[in-house]
Amino acid sequence: MILIIDFGSQYNQLIARRVREGHVYCQIETPSISAAQIKALSPEGIILSGGPASIYQKGSPRVAPGIFDLGIPVLGICYGMQYMVDTLGGKVSRAQKREYGFAKLRIKEAAGIFDGIEKETRCWMSHGDHIQRIPRGFRITASTPNTRVAAIENTKKSFYGLQFHPEVAHTPKGKRMLKNFLLKICGCGKSWTMKSFIRHSVNETKSLVGDKGVILGLSGGVDSSVAALLLHRAIGKQLTCIFVDNGLLRQGEAEQVKRLFKKHFKVNLKFISAKKVFLDRLRGVGDPEKKRKIIGHAFIEAFEREARKLQGVKFLAQGTLYPDVIESRSAFGGPSAVIKSHHNVGGLPRKMKLKLVEPLKHLFKDEVRLLGKELGLSEELIWRQPFPGPGLAIRIISDVTQARLSLLRKVDAILLEEIKAAGFYKKLWQSFAVLLPLKSVGIMGDQRTYENIVAIRAVTSLDAMTADWARLPHALLGKISNRIINEVRGVNRVAYDISSKPPSTIEWE
Ligand code: XMP
C-alpha cells in the first residue's frame, strides 16, 4: 500500500485515484500521523501531497520528521517536495516569478521517476515558492524555464520531489511518472482489484461482526445497494435490510427493489409499506423544509420500529464513501470519525447503541460502481442517478396529494424513458420532472383546456456542488414534451429549466 500525506492540496483525492488506477491500494492520512503509526501501516511508499501553505511560514503543516528514517521511498509533490527539502537541510523561499499553468519540462535523464519519458514534455505548475538550495545527497533531474529545481532525487534513499503536479491530466506523462514511482521505485505489485477488495472486506466484516446482527437502510440507490450486497456476501442472513416505501418514489421503484434484493439476491429484506403515514402527515404542507422534516422523522420512526423487532442487532451499516471520510477531516487536525446522516438514520446508532459498519468507506464512487458490477448488480442500478431522500415530495411545488404524485410519476417515467433511449441518462447528473402549482390555458382538439404545467430539469455536474443545465437536443426536448402532453392527462404545458447552480439549486425545493 501507498500512504498519501494530505497537506491540503485540492488535488489530493486525484493522487489517490491515480494510484488506485494503477491497481495499488492507497490511503490518505493527515500530517498528524506519527512515524510509529506509519511504520505500523508498513506502506511500500509515501507520497507527500501539495498544499496551500508556505513551508517557511509559522504553523505550516509538517509530518513527524522520522518518516525520512524509515527506509521507505518518498515522493514529494509541490508543497510536499518543499517540506522534504526543508526538513532534510535544503532551503525554500518565495519565488520571484510565480508559476501557474503549463510549463515546458526539460528532463536531464530518462531514468528513475522519468524512466521511459522523452526529455521534453509538458507539466502543470501551481506554486509561488521555489527551492533555492537542494539538500545534500540530492540532484536536480528536471527544470522549466522559470523553475530551475522542477524535480529532484536522492536515489540512494529513494527520495523524489516534483515541483509540478503529476496527478493532473495537464501533465501528460504524469501517470507514467507515478507508475514509475509505484512499480519501479517502491516495488508495489498490482494487487488492488475489486476481487481482492471483496475478499479482504468479507474477512474484515466477518471478524468485526462475529455472530451479531446488522441492519441497513436500503434506499435503492447505488451506495446502499452495493453495501447491502457486499455485507450479504460476508454475513448472509445476519444482515437485515430495511426498505421504507414512503410513497414518494418513482414509478415501479419500490417493487424493483423488492424483486431484486428479496427474490434475486435472497437478501433478508424487511419491506415496510408506510405510504399512508407519510401522505397523512404531509397533507396540506407546502413549505419545503417542513416537508423534509416530516419525511425525515417518519422515516426514522418506521425504521426504528422495525429495527427494534429484530433480535441480536448490534450494528448499523451505512454506504459512506471515501470522499466523505476525507472531507470530514482537516489537513491540520487529526482524523475524526464520520457518521453520515444520509437516509436520515444519523441519530440511530447512538440511540439504539449500535456500532457502525461502513464497508465502502475506502472506495471512490467509480470504484463502488465497479464493485457493484463484480457483485452482480445490473448496469441500470449501477448507473442510477441520485434521487433525494424526500423523493417526489420536493418535486411537487405545493402540498403533496396522491393525485399529484400519480401525475408526476407518469411524467417522470416518460422523461426517463426518452432520456435513456437517446443515450443521455449516464451523461447527466440528474434528469427529472417538477410539477408546478400553476395552471395554463391550452387547446386540445377543439377544446379549451386549463391544466397543469410541468418543468423538466436536466443537469450536468461532478459532485452536485455546482451544476449546469444540460444542452439537450431540441428534437429530444420536443419529443419529451409531445409525449408528456399527449399521454399524461392533466398536463398541457411543458417548460425546460435553463438555470444553473449557483445561483439556482438542482432541486426546485
Ligand atoms: P440541490 O437542490 O441542493 O441538490 O442543488 C443537490 C443534490 O442533493 C440532492 N438533494 C437531497 N438529497 N435529501 C437528500 O437525500 C434532501 O433533502 C435533498 N435535497 C436535495 C439533490 O437531488 C441533488 O442531487
Side-chain angles (χ1 to χ4, degrees):
M1 75 95 98
I2 292 289
L3 178 67
I4 298 168
I5 302 287
D6 172 13
F7 283 125
S9 160
Q10 52 177 326
Y11 299 129
N12 68 49
Q13 288 199 30
L14 212 49
I15 303 175
R17 295 292 312 115
R18 294 283 169 268
V19 174
R20 292 203 188 171
E21 275 165 17
H23 298 289
V24 176
Y25 179 69
C26 65
Q27 220 167 292
I28 303 180
E29 294 293 339
T30 62
S32 62
I33 189 168
S34 67
Q37 283 170 315
I38 295 177
K39 211 172 163 187
L41 286 171
S42 67
E44 283 153 308
I46 298 173
I47 297 179
L48 306 173
S49 89
S54 281
I55 191 70
Y56 46 77
Q57 273 169 352
K58 227 177 124 193
S60 56
R62 287 169 182 272
V63 205
I67 64 161
F68 296 110
D69 303 325
L70 298 171
I72 300 172
V74 180
L75 167 63
I77 296 172
C78 199
Y79 176 88
M81 172 206 207
Q82 293 164 3
Y83 164 77
M84 179 157 77
V85 164
D86 186 78
T87 309
L88 298 177
K91 188 166 172 53
V92 177
S93 58
R94 184 180 297 276
Q96 269 184 346
K97 277 191 195 160
R98 299 194 303 174
E99 202 175 17
Y100 290 98
F102 282 116
K104 203 188 269 177
L105 187 72
R106 197 168 258 287
I107 294 168
K108 295 232 165 91
E109 201 186 327
I113 207 152
F114 298 128
D115 193 33
I117 297 170
E118 54 268 36
K119 291 203 168 160
E120 240 178 56
T121 179
R122 287 201 304 170
C123 67
W124 184 259
M125 287 285 194
S126 171
H127 67 113
D129 293 335
H130 74 156
I131 287 161
Q132 211 177 323
R133 191 185 67 238
I134 59 173
R136 193 181 298 201
F138 280 78
R139 66 182 198 112
I140 299 169
T141 52
S143 308
T144 71
N146 274 341
T147 306
R148 192 173 67 93
V149 189
I152 52 170
E153 68 177 16
N154 176 342
T155 46
K156 218 165 140 195
K157 300 235 173 192
S158 288
F159 293 158
Y160 296 80
L162 301 175
Q163 183 55 71
F164 55 90
H165 290 272
E167 68 276 23
V168 303
H170 303 304
T171 302
K173 296 291 177 205
K175 268 189 190 178
R176 176 70 194 250
M177 295 171 198
L178 287 172
K179 208 164 133 190
N180 284 339
F181 179 69
L182 301 175
L183 306 182
K184 298 213 163 108
I185 295 164
C186 302
C188 295
K190 291 179 162 191
S191 58
W192 171 252
T193 62
M194 277 307 135
K195 275 199 177 68
S196 70
F197 173 80
I198 292 174
R199 246 192 336 266
H200 178 77
S201 171
V202 162
N203 289 337
E204 201 176 47
T205 305
K206 276 184 179 161
S207 66
L208 174 74
V209 169
D211 60 355
K212 303 290 184 289
V214 180
I215 47 169
L216 177 141
L218 192 63
S219 72
V222 192
D223 304 345
S224 68
S225 297
V226 174
L229 289 189
L230 185 58
L231 288 168
H232 183 246
R233 170 94 46 120
I235 54 169
K237 294 288 175 199
Q238 278 167 259
L239 170 73
T240 305
C241 294
I242 299 179
F243 179 86
V244 179
D245 182 3
N246 57 14
L248 307 169
L249 301 170
R250 288 162 295 188
Q251 203 163 72
E253 210 167 13
E255 290 69 31
Q256 195 187 16
V257 169
K258 197 161 126 180
R259 215 172 32 242
L260 187 69
F261 287 90
K262 208 167 182 143
K263 286 230 173 84
H264 182 70
F265 288 114
K266 310 255 184 282
V267 169
N268 202 351
L269 174 71
K270 300 275 177 225
F271 186 93
I272 320 282
S273 193
K275 288 182 199 171
K276 194 171 172 322
V277 178
F278 282 83
L279 217 64
D280 282 351
R281 293 196 191 167
L282 284 169
R283 184 167 302 135
V285 179
D287 180 75
E289 283 314 299
K290 278 197 188 132
K291 285 184 193 172
R292 273 200 181 76
K293 284 211 176 84
I294 290 171
I295 295 164
H297 287 147
F299 178 87
I300 290 184
E301 266 177 46
F303 187 90
E304 220 178 354
R305 192 173 321 113
E306 202 55 35
R308 286 197 190 284
K309 288 185 199 160
L310 303 167
Q311 300 290 315
V313 171
K314 291 278 179 263
F315 294 90
L316 174 78
Q318 291 197 329
T320 315
L321 304 192
Y322 200 37
D324 305 319
V325 177
I326 302 168
E327 269 154 29
S328 71
R329 347 178 269 209
S330 80
F332 306 94
S336 62
V338 259
I339 296 168
K340 194 177 173 185
S341 57
H342 73 173
H343 309 316
N344 308 314
V345 289
L348 272 180
R350 226 174 339 119
K351 220 166 142 190
M352 294 180 63
K353 299 199 176 68
L354 296 175
K355 285 187 213 141
L356 278 181
V357 193
E358 297 173 305
L360 310 181
K361 72 174 178 200
H362 291 303
L363 302 185
F364 290 97
K365 189 85 178 184
D366 52 337
E367 291 174 320
V368 170
R369 293 203 161 108
L370 283 176
L371 176 60
K373 202 167 170 197
E374 193 69 40
L375 291 166
L377 271 184
S378 63
E379 283 279 312
E380 196 194 340
L381 210 153
I382 287 172
W383 289 100
R384 179 170 277 187
Q385 292 174 354
F387 185 66
L392 298 180
I394 54 166
R395 292 176 181 174
I396 292 174
I397 315 301
S398 56
D399 54 316
V400 180
T401 63
Q402 193 59 268
R404 289 185 181 134
L405 279 168
S406 158
L407 184 143
L408 185 56
R409 244 179 225 126
K410 286 182 197 144
V411 173
D412 199 69
I414 294 173
L415 168 72
L416 288 183
E417 198 181 305
E418 290 301 331
I419 293 277
K420 282 178 185 166
F424 276 93
Y425 186 77
K426 261 164 103 169
K427 293 181 196 154
L428 298 172
W429 173 263
Q430 274 170 304
S431 46
F432 56 88
V434 181
L435 177 59
L436 307 194
L438 297 169
K439 288 197 167 185
S440 79
V441 173
I443 176 149
M444 268 189 178
D446 290 328
Q447 296 286 328
R448 173 189 190 269
T449 59
Y450 187 54
E451 288 174 338
N452 293 292
I453 309 173
V454 291
I456 304 298
R457 181 86 165 127
V459 296
T460 53
S461 173
L462 285 176
D463 50 15
M465 299 299 286
T466 62
D468 198 9
W469 61 277
R471 272 58 171 178
L472 292 180
H474 290 174
L476 174 60
L477 288 170
K479 194 167 179 203
I480 291 169
S481 162
N482 262 339
R483 276 199 62 195
I484 291 172
I485 294 172
N486 284 331
E487 295 174 36
V488 185
R489 203 171 277 269
V491 178
N492 70 357
R493 197 173 293 271
V494 174
Y496 189 53
D497 181 349
I498 52 167
S499 28
S500 293
K501 173 183 179 175
S504 298
T505 53
I506 296 176
E507 304 287 348
W508 278 42
E509 284 201 330

